[in-house]
Amino acid sequence: MDFIQKLFEKKNKNVLSIYFTAGFPNLNDTQKILHSLQNRGADLVEVGMPYSDPLADGPVIQNSSMKALKNGMTIKKLFEQLSEIKDEIKIPLILMGYLNPVLQYGLNRFCAHAKNAGISGIILPDLPVPAYENEYQKAFTENELDFIFLITPETSEERIRKIDSLSNGFIYAVSSSSITGKNADLKAQENYFKRINSLKLKNKILIGFGIRNHQSFEQACEHAAGAIIGTAYINAIEQAENIDEATKIFLNSILKG
């Protein structure tokens, strides 16, 4: 069952995707955070697999990754946590991380365990398109995992169309050629978003990087099916005494202003 496609069939605008780093703030917070995000209005969740060298991430997510690793988070531990609640989480879950830890775990093993843990899709920003197409695609498709690529304002039309032909789930449109956590100047990128929409792609578009409040979420949703928020949510829960309450307040601020 393709949970991401089912989501877009039910809701094709104002889709809210939230990113958090597994094992942060504490090792065993993953399940609590997922339940809270589901109950408080997130449509989709990206679960970050912590990595020691997250090149695309800004300091907040890098710091959360370091803390999660110090807490003892591993891919194996994450799959155990997810498997325990897979029947309780009804919104689509995506694993986001980097290629090296996945290859160390074993690609086929990773994909099989992801499927068994209730994962719908995978984002690996440093997996090149040709390598995916020629070497790795089979492992993902055999395990019914949507693979989601990132595009930037510099991505050519030819490459975007190639990505669209290979992608399932959605395409992650990075708001600028920067790291996560930078304030997004969405007005300055209107031509970029219009260019994407003019291509009439088969996949939905979600905009990420720098989306942090109601205003930027609404602006992103004017040009796409929805938006992805990571850094601002991690900031919201880092020192929270009650993660569910902090999640409720944060998601209300995004959805209702």
Side-chain angles (χ1 to χ4, degrees):
M1 183 184 297
D2 194 330
F3 287 107
I4 299 174
Q5 289 304 321
K6 287 189 177 296
L7 165 63
F8 288 127
E9 287 171 9
K10 291 189 298 183
K11 184 176 184 179
N12 59 13
K13 289 297 290 181
N14 300 317
V15 170
L16 176 59
S17 177
I18 298 290
Y19 169 97
F20 76 95
T21 304
F24 173 88
N26 301 296
L27 178 63
N28 294 316
D29 283 341
T30 305
Q31 297 170 339
K32 186 189 307 182
I33 290 171
L34 285 172
H35 277 116
S36 196
L37 287 171
Q38 174 172 261
N39 295 338
R40 300 303 181 183
D43 298 302
L44 182 69
V45 177
E46 294 176 18
V47 183
M49 299 179 287
Y51 180 46
S52 58
D53 189 24
L55 298 175
D57 295 315
V60 171
I61 293 180
Q62 285 187 16
N63 181 60
S64 70
S65 223
M66 291 300 101
K67 286 188 176 180
L69 291 172
K70 287 180 181 176
N71 288 341
M73 179 51 71
T74 62
I75 292 177
K76 181 176 182 290
K77 179 69 175 174
L78 176 57
F79 282 142
E80 290 170 358
Q81 293 175 342
L82 294 173
S83 294
E84 288 175 1
I85 60 167
K86 68 176 183 178
D87 294 330
E88 300 163 21
I89 302 300
K90 307 301 183 184
I91 58 177
L93 300 183
I94 293 167
L95 288 182
M96 184 168 184
Y98 292 85
L99 182 59
N100 190 47
V102 170
L103 294 182
Q104 288 182 357
Y105 192 83
L107 183 76
N108 291 323
R109 178 172 169 243
F110 173 85
C111 290
H113 288 184
K115 178 183 178 180
N116 291 338
I119 296 299
S120 295
I122 307 292
I123 302 175
L124 300 173
D126 60 339
L127 175 55
V129 173
Y132 171 79
E133 183 178 20
N134 298 321
E135 298 178 53
Y136 301 126
Q137 185 174 10
K138 183 180 178 184
F140 294 104
T141 55
E142 284 183 346
N143 287 283
E144 301 173 328
L145 297 168
D146 291 341
F147 195 86
I148 295 136
F149 289 97
L150 279 66
I151 62 173
T152 75
E154 281 69 49
T155 307
S156 68
E157 177 179 339
E158 180 184 13
R159 184 176 173 86
I160 292 173
R161 291 196 181 281
K162 181 66 172 179
I163 283 171
D164 188 49
S165 72
L166 291 172
S167 292
N168 295 298
F170 62 91
I171 293 174
Y172 189 138
V174 175
S175 64
S176 64
S177 299
S178 180
I179 55 174
T180 58
K182 296 285 188 182
N183 285 330
D185 186 356
L186 297 177
K187 284 288 185 186
Q189 298 296 348
E190 282 192 354
N191 288 336
Y192 162 49
F193 300 136
K194 287 177 180 177
R195 179 167 68 92
I196 295 170
N197 288 324
S198 73
L199 300 178
K200 306 295 183 186
L201 305 175
K202 70 179 177 69
N203 285 284
K204 298 291 186 183
I205 303 294
L206 295 184
I207 296 173
F209 282 45
I211 315 298
R212 59 179 58 244
N213 53 30
H214 178 70
Q215 180 184 11
S216 54
F217 177 69
E218 290 283 299
Q219 285 180 327
C221 290
E222 289 176 12
H223 303 286
I228 300 156
I229 299 176
T231 296
Y233 179 65
I234 287 173
N235 280 331
I237 64 171
E238 182 171 14
Q239 303 295 336
E241 293 183 8
N242 184 318
I243 283 179
D244 184 57
E245 185 64 22
T247 300
K248 175 185 175 182
I249 292 169
F250 180 79
L251 264 61
N252 279 344
S253 76
I254 299 298
L255 294 170
K256 301 175 182 178

